Each structure stands twice: as structure tokens, then as C-alpha cells.
Amino acid sequence: MITAKQSSVTKFMELVEKRNPAQLEFHQAVYEVAQSIIPFMDEHPEYKKANILERIIEAERIVIFRVPWMDDEGNYRVNRGYRVQMNNAIGPFKGGLRFHPNVTLSILKFLAFEQVFKNSLTTLPMGGGKGGSDFDPKGKSDNEVMRFCQSFMTELFRHIGKDTDVPAGDIGVGSREIGYLFGQFKRLTNEFTGVLTGKGYAYGGSLIRPEATGYGLLFFVDEMLKTKGDSIKAKKVVISGSGNVAQYAIEKTIAFGGIPVTASDSDGFIYDPDGIDTDKLAFLMGLKNKKRGRIYEYAEEYGCTYFEGEKPWKIPCDVALPCAVQNELDESDAQLLVNHGCKLVAEGANMPTTPDAITLLQQNGVLYAPGKASNAGGVAVSGLEMTQNSIRLYWTREEVENRLRGIMQNIHKQCMQYGKNADGSVDYLKGANLAGFVRVADAMLAEGHV
Ligand code: NDP
Ligand code: 2IT
């Protein structure tokens, strides 16, 4: 039987698919939000009357541009650059840049859309945006990456600004890339402003920004477990990825007494049944951040198992933290987690769990947190970096980490408030969607038909 809710969501999705043909990731992100918001709007006709849902899925502006650069052999190369400025109802556009060969407009629109709700949940004044390029930093020299970043910023600079749009990092964009991008912005504008976040500490960055997404994820998980009178102590934790988010998720898991047993990259994963400890994590960080090597080298170093071309979800665990990429955890993976007794899945990545997998987890009583809530720590500390830049001060590690923890606790509270089911359980996806939506929608109502 098709319920009234399903039929209005289906009708809405037909419109979305018609207006955004072939943008599958964008459809998926909109669907996940629409299924919470459409029934909510039936009880809140003011949003329906102002057509907020149709307006919120339309980007304010999208820029697409050519990025010419020259490789070390003197070959002429070209990539495509993008910035999706999704929504600035509650603050300047804000969100990362992704450099990865599979970047498309669909992927950046899904990320920008998610960012609108995530940034709203932080309660800091930040709208949503995302950008990037199909440039692949893997295997490129530092000089090639620098020339690419300079060329990318040579167009991007006219569309961004500290009060207009403030980019940061994401996949393939870390401190090296942010440094080159910032240097070029400064040169083009003759201004030293907080136009990017994730900057190095020496030139306006915030302490704890590198750690923020991974730490924030564990603060959120801690809150989720507390509702069950539990904690992460002695829990077996399966983590995917080995980049920025995964590394600091591992670090905080260790600090909280949990046992991280996996890490991965796009080639496969390692399983370390004894747990990744602080020394092994230092090796992993050196391998990934300095040597820019592959995860199998960890297995070689510590004599543990490497699973080529596989994902870590088949390893029995209590907690699973997908921290790599969209759609990396599908229905069959979710089934494996359930079979092995996994109790909690929280997303460090953006949209890593497919809609079918989310349904399966929720139906089996696994606590599930969507990235827009559980990975908001990164952009939250970006917001704190903007604040520090505005007041021209640097806060201590303790100050920033305490604020980060407070923000994650508050996001958890908002999820509970808006996501509580009749039986007392919490639907974190619904809670995050509604709490994120209301703040943006109210601002849109107040600002008129713009
Ligand atoms: P990094 O570039 O530092 O690391 C990305 C990791 O994901 C690498 O281990 C990479 O492996 C792996 N990966 C990339 N593509 C694939 C793929 N197709 N299959 C399997 N693994 C893959 O990025 P981050 O750690 O910053 O980002 C990870 C996720 O977290 C992304 O979804 C991002 O959007 C999200 N996020 C990031 C935030 C931040 O502040 N950085 C904040 C909030 C969310 P390989 O090296 O082989 O490519
Ligand atoms: O997905 C994300 O939230 C990020 N990549 C961080 C964005 C930011 O502006 O810090």
C-alpha cells in the first residue's frame, strides 16, 4: 500500500529528477531530506505556502570554469572547476572544495545541499556551498599541485570573499592545497582575510581544525551511546578511510578507550585485530600525509591482514564509522553489520550510507547518525576559525575543543528534539533534517521572496 506521504514524496522527486536530469547523487540527497520535510510541512502550512522546499533545492548560483595548468613535463593540461553556492539565508556560503577525478556537478550539488542543513545545525551563521574540480592530486608533484591551485583560484577569487563565500578542504584538499589557494587569493586581491578555513596556524588557522571532524564524530557517538547508558570504552570500532576524518576519528576512539581495528583507502582495507594504537596511528599519518603512500603498507609494517579491493564492513564490530566517500556502505554491507551485532553507525563522510542501507539499519534497531549531524564538527570549527579571524585573536586548543564538544552536544540535542519517535526511540536522520531545515526556512520566510 502506498501511503499519502510516499506519494507526495514520489511526486516531488519526479519534479526534482526532471529539473536535474542524471544527477543521481543530488537526487539521493534531496530524497533523504524530502522524506522528513514533506510530512512536516503538512503541519506547517507557512513553509508550504512560501514554496520553501522547491526554493531550497535550487542553488543561488553555480559557477563552472576552465582550469588550465602545466604539468612538470611542460604538457598543457585542463580540468573543470566548480563552485555551487547553494543557500545563504543564514550566513555567507560555506563549505569545502573537493579535488577528485570523479567530481561532477551532481556530486557537488549533493554536497552543497547537505552542507546547508549541516551548517544550520551548528547554529553558527553559515550558509551552504561546495566546490572543487575533477583534478586528481594523486601522483602529482607539489609544484604541479601548486600550479593547479593557483590557476583554480585565479578564477574562483572573484566569486568568494570572507562575507560572501568561504571555502575549505574536503577530499583531496588538505593543508597543502589550502595554503597554495590562500597564497594566490592574497596575491590577486592584496588582502589578508579569512576567505578560506583550514588555514595553517601560522597564517590565521584555528587550533583543532585538522582534528575537528574526527573528534566531533566521536563526541557525537559518545552522546548517542550515553542515551543507552553506554560508552565507547572497550568497543570494537570499524573505520573506513585513512584521510583527515578517519585519522582523527581513530585518534579520539583511542582516547575514549575504544579499539579501532580497520582503516582503508580506495584500494582496500587493513584489519588490525590488536587495535590501531597511538604509535601505529603516527605511522599511518606519516604514510598518508607525508609519504602519500597506500594503506597496504600499514599491513606490511605491522604484519596484519590486507584485504585488496574490499570494504571493512565484514569485520565484526560494535560501532561502524564510514569516513571515506559517498555510497560506500550499501544494503548488503548493512546486513553484514547487523548480522555481526553492530549497535551503532555514525557517518564521518558525507552520505556514505545508501538509503536502503539506512532503512535496514533503522529497522534492525541500529543507532544511525547521518553525516549532516555527526560530521558537522569540521565546519563548526571552520566557523570558529572565521570568528577568530574576525576578532583577530587565536583561541587555545582547550577553548576550541570545548566549544566543539558543546556544539556537537547541542546538535545531538536538536536531533533528539526533532527526531523522537512515539516509542521513545530517536530517528537521527529525521531529527537532523527537521532541525536543520527550520532555521534556514524561517530565515527564508523572513527575508522575503529572494
Ligand atoms: P581525504 O582526502 O583526507 O581522505 C579521503 C579518504 O577516502 C582516503 O582514505 C581515500 O582513499 C578514501 N576514498 C576516496 N575515494 C574513495 C573511494 N571511491 N572508495 C574508497 N575510499 C575512497 O578526505 P577527508 O578525510 O577530508 O574526507 C573524507 C570524507 O569526509 C568525505 O566524504 C568528506 O566529504 C567528508 N567530510 C570531510 C570534512 C573535512 O573537514 N575534511 C568534514 C566533513 C565531512 P584514497 O587515498 O585511495 O583516495
Ligand atoms: O563536508 C564538510 O563539512 C567539509 N568538508 C568541511 C567544510 C568547511 O567549510 O569546513
Side-chain angles (χ1 to χ4, degrees):
M1 198 184 75
I2 296 184
T3 63
K5 172 191 156 185
Q6 281 165 335
S7 91
S8 35
V9 173
T10 306
K11 256 191 12 228
F12 177 70
M13 287 313 300
E14 280 166 9
L15 173 105
V16 172
E17 285 162 26
K18 196 157 160 234
R19 279 178 67 75
N20 306 275
Q23 297 184 346
L24 301 184
E25 294 85 359
F26 181 59
H27 302 166
Q28 184 182 334
V30 171
Y31 169 73
E32 283 182 15
V33 168
Q35 53 172 335
S36 312
I37 288 175
I38 288 176
F40 180 75
M41 289 209 309
D42 286 337
E43 295 153 31
H44 297 271
E46 66 276 20
Y47 300 134
K48 219 173 186 171
K49 185 158 165 260
N51 217 8
I52 295 290
L53 193 55
E54 277 82 349
R55 287 163 60 194
I56 214 169
I57 60 163
E58 200 62 41
E60 176 87 18
R61 180 181 301 109
I62 299 179
V63 222
I64 304 183
F65 49 98
R66 177 172 60 208
V67 189
W69 58 283
M70 191 167 272
D71 68 22
D72 287 346
E73 281 76 51
N75 299 307
Y76 289 81
R77 304 281 287 261
V78 64
N79 285 93
R80 189 172 294 163
Y82 305 82
R83 187 71 184 166
V84 179
Q85 297 182 331
M86 201 62 162
N87 190 297
N88 64 355
I90 63 168
F93 303 108
K94 177 85 195 88
L97 296 170
R98 177 176 290 192
F99 291 170
H100 192 277
N102 79 3
V103 159
T104 59
L105 184 55
S106 171
I107 287 181
L108 296 178
K109 279 175 69 179
F110 117 61
L111 289 163
F113 185 69
E114 289 275 295
Q115 201 81 45
V116 172
F117 298 85
K118 185 193 306 191
N119 294 4
S120 166
L121 285 167
T122 68
T123 73
L124 299 173
M126 301 183 290
K130 202 86 185 190
S133 174
D134 57 0
F135 173 74
D136 186 359
K138 260 195 223 118
K140 303 287 189 301
S141 70
D142 285 352
N143 278 331
E144 287 175 327
V145 171
M146 181 172 73
R147 285 196 293 276
F148 176 82
C149 288
Q150 290 177 339
S151 182
F152 183 84
M153 186 52 87
T154 299
E155 174 57 35
L156 186 69
F157 90 98
R158 60 185 103 248
H159 309 289
I160 61 175
K162 70 177 172 41
D163 297 317
T164 312
D165 182 355
V166 183
D170 192 79
I171 292 179
V173 177
S175 57
R176 173 182 61 170
E177 289 75 17
I178 293 291
Y180 296 149
L181 290 164
F182 183 77
Q184 185 71 354
F185 181 89
K186 192 162 56 69
R187 194 174 172 206
L188 289 164
T189 58
N190 197 28
E191 268 180 17
F192 192 111
T193 60
V195 68
L196 293 160
T197 60
K199 300 185 292 297
Y201 187 61
Y203 61 96
S206 174
L207 292 171
I208 303 288
R209 176 61 188 90
E211 294 88 344
T213 313
Y215 279 19
L217 176 64
L218 269 295
F219 290 146
F220 197 87
V221 168
D222 190 41
E223 293 302 310
M224 293 172 82
L225 288 170
K226 266 191 206 153
T227 66
K228 302 279 170 199
D230 207 348
S231 82
I232 196 120
K233 203 165 169 59
K235 297 255 179 326
K236 223 170 141 177
V237 183
V238 159
I239 295 174
S240 67
S242 50
N244 171 268
V245 178
Q247 291 170 15
Y248 290 102
I250 293 172
E251 186 168 293
K252 210 47 158 186
T253 298
I254 299 169
F256 277 171
I259 309 160
V261 290
T262 62
S264 73
D265 60 23
S266 50
D267 295 333
F269 78 93
I270 57 102
Y271 173 43
D272 189 340
D274 299 333
I276 303 172
D277 62 19
T278 309
D279 288 344
K280 293 172 179 174
L281 176 61
F283 172 84
L284 178 76
M285 286 180 164
L287 174 67
K288 284 294 173 182
N289 306 345
K290 296 210 170 68
K291 190 178 169 208
R292 298 185 188 271
R294 307 306 299 160
I295 199 70
Y296 72 81
E297 296 171 58
Y298 178 102
E300 286 179 352
E301 179 75 14
Y302 295 109
C304 64
T305 318
Y306 173 63
F307 294 83
E308 169 109 41
E310 293 192 58
K311 298 183 286 182
W313 317 123
K314 65 179 198 180
I315 302 297
C317 65
D318 305 300
V319 170
L321 305 176
C323 295
V325 73
Q326 65 275 357
N327 292 329
E328 57 168 316
L329 199 166
D330 64 20
E331 198 179 8
S332 57
D333 300 319
Q335 189 63 60
L336 283 172
L337 291 172
V338 168
N339 292 350
H340 291 146
C342 173
K343 296 280 178 304
L344 186 153
V345 175
E347 298 181 340
N350 286 305
M351 210 169 74
T353 317
T354 64
D356 289 348
I358 296 171
T359 305
L360 192 141
L361 293 171
Q362 289 183 327
Q363 281 172 350
N364 284 279
V366 177
L367 289 179
Y368 160 76
K372 58 177 81 89
S374 51
N375 75 31
V379 75
V381 175
S382 278
L384 301 179
E385 182 173 332
M386 291 165 72
T387 308
Q388 293 168 80
N389 291 165
S390 297
I391 60 173
R392 296 174 194 274
L393 284 175
Y394 288 97
W395 291 336
T396 61
R397 292 182 74 83
E398 291 69 31
E399 167 95 41
V400 180
E401 191 168 340
N402 285 337
R403 284 179 186 267
L404 168 63
R405 186 162 201 157
I407 290 170
M408 298 313 295
Q409 287 170 334
N410 181 255
I411 295 175
H412 186 267
K413 212 150 101 196
Q414 294 176 65
C415 289
M416 302 267 286
Q417 185 191 339
Y418 282 91
K420 207 142 215 158
N421 295 317
D423 65 0
S425 63
V426 181
D427 181 341
Y428 285 90
L429 179 58
K430 181 172 134 199
N433 284 338
L434 295 184
F437 172 78
V438 165
R439 193 167 291 113
V440 176
D442 286 348
M444 288 172 76
L445 286 182
E447 289 170 19
H449 196 198
V450 291

